Amino acid sequence: GENVEQHPSTLSVQEGDSAVIKCTYSDSASNYFPWYKQELGKGPQLIIDIRSNVGEKKDQRIAVTLNKTAKHFSLHITETQPEDSAVYFCAPSTGGTSYGKLTFGQGTILTVHP
Amino acid sequence: DSGVTQTPKHLITATGQRVTLRCSPRSGDLSVYWYQQSLDQGLQFLIQYYNGEERAKGNILERFSAQQFPDLHSELNLSSLELGDSALYFCASSVVGTDYNEQFFGPGTRLTVL
């Protein structure tokens, strides 16, 4: 099965700084790479995703980059704000007989200090 | 609000008991996924249904079962409950349930087994 590792496990930044979280996966058949944000007491919320035929995708202050050769993808948050504080999960997915099930990383606790 | 609803929000029960968790997917979504989130195991995929049929199974215990009804809502049944079953249970839905499918998560059911 897919092995997913996420680093760092905790990240503390000052408001306005950038944050980068890296996710490494093992299954070369993975073809869909989403990032989820989970706030306390809530379900995971999809914030950005990328497909295997694309190297980078940006949505305002959030971007995701994919390196399929090295089997890792990263979440980049620029100009961080206190409301970005949450747990972030990567969750690569493989199609085929896995039918799109997500394999979650261990999570990164991001704290943005005002 | 993702459009996925889950009931109940909280459930407290005793060891050996049986409970049913309910999920209503987003309007138009045919696929439902169940995930378990615990401190020691993280977020883990349990089972997926697509248009009433079981599609994929993850680390789901034999004591657990699920089904998806003709109106597309889904139920997760947990029986012979043990202390270790205490966790957050999330339902997610997606349009198709194959490759590249964004999954939208509900708010979860917190199960406490005493």
Side-chain angles (χ1 to χ4, degrees):
Chain A
E2 174 91 275
N3 277 328
V4 179
E5 289 194 5
Q6 197 176 323
H7 296 282
S9 56
T10 61
L11 182 56
S12 183
V13 300
Q14 288 296 127
E15 183 176 1
D17 288 349
S18 294
V20 181
I21 305 169
K22 184 176 176 178
C23 182
T24 304
Y25 60 95
S26 63
D27 191 344
S28 55
S30 293
N31 57 11
Y32 174 60
F33 307 93
W35 283 95
Y36 282 83
K37 174 184 181 182
Q38 188 176 23
E39 296 174 322
L40 202 59
K42 296 187 177 181
Q45 175 196 0
L46 178 66
I47 56 171
I48 196 166
D49 57 15
I50 195 168
R51 295 170 188 187
S52 57
N53 56 346
V54 177
E56 182 173 353
K57 182 177 175 181
K58 192 172 179 180
D59 182 3
Q60 298 183 350
R61 297 186 298 107
I62 295 174
V64 55
T65 57
L66 171 65
N67 185 328
K68 279 214 82 177
T69 305
K71 288 191 273 187
H72 66 73
F73 62 112
S74 298
L75 175 69
H76 305 255
I77 305 175
T78 59
E79 299 170 30
T80 53
Q81 300 167 3
E83 49 265 39
D84 294 328
S85 296
V87 184
Y88 290 82
F89 293 94
C90 64
S93 172
T94 306
T97 56
S98 293
Y99 293 103
K101 77 175 178 79
L102 303 174
T103 302
F104 281 84
Q106 308 93 313
T108 296
I109 301 172
L110 173 64
T111 305
V112 180
H113 300 280
Chain B
D1 185 356
S2 67
V4 178
T5 60
Q6 289 186 249
T7 56
K9 197 170 178 64
H10 301 279
L11 202 46
I12 301 174
T13 189
T15 54
Q17 295 298 304
R18 172 190 168 92
V19 297
T20 297
L21 281 52
R22 183 188 168 105
C23 167
S24 292
R26 294 187 318 157
S27 176
D29 284 359
L30 299 177
S31 193
V32 168
Y33 302 78
W34 286 96
Y35 293 86
Q36 180 193 59
Q37 185 173 35
S38 62
L39 280 174
D40 54 345
Q41 298 291 329
L43 258 167
Q44 284 198 310
F45 167 73
L46 294 178
I47 197 164
Q48 181 209 2
Y49 278 80
Y50 173 74
N51 205 20
E53 290 187 8
E54 182 185 303
R55 268 281 175 90
K57 261 186 173 178
N59 297 326
I60 188 166
L61 299 170
E62 284 193 13
R63 300 183 285 108
F64 295 2
S65 65
Q67 54 184 334
Q68 185 179 28
F69 294 87
D71 67 352
L72 300 177
H73 91 271
S74 178
E75 293 181 357
L76 179 66
N77 301 296
L78 315 176
S79 61
S80 303
L81 284 167
E82 301 175 359
L83 296 178
D85 298 327
S86 296
L88 272 166
Y89 291 85
F90 289 105
C91 163
S93 74
S94 68
V95 173
V96 179
T98 56
D99 297 10
Y100 309 142
N101 267 284
E102 297 97 333
Q103 293 182 29
F104 297 90
F105 281 72
T109 293
R110 180 175 293 279
L111 173 67
T112 302
V113 183
L114 301 175

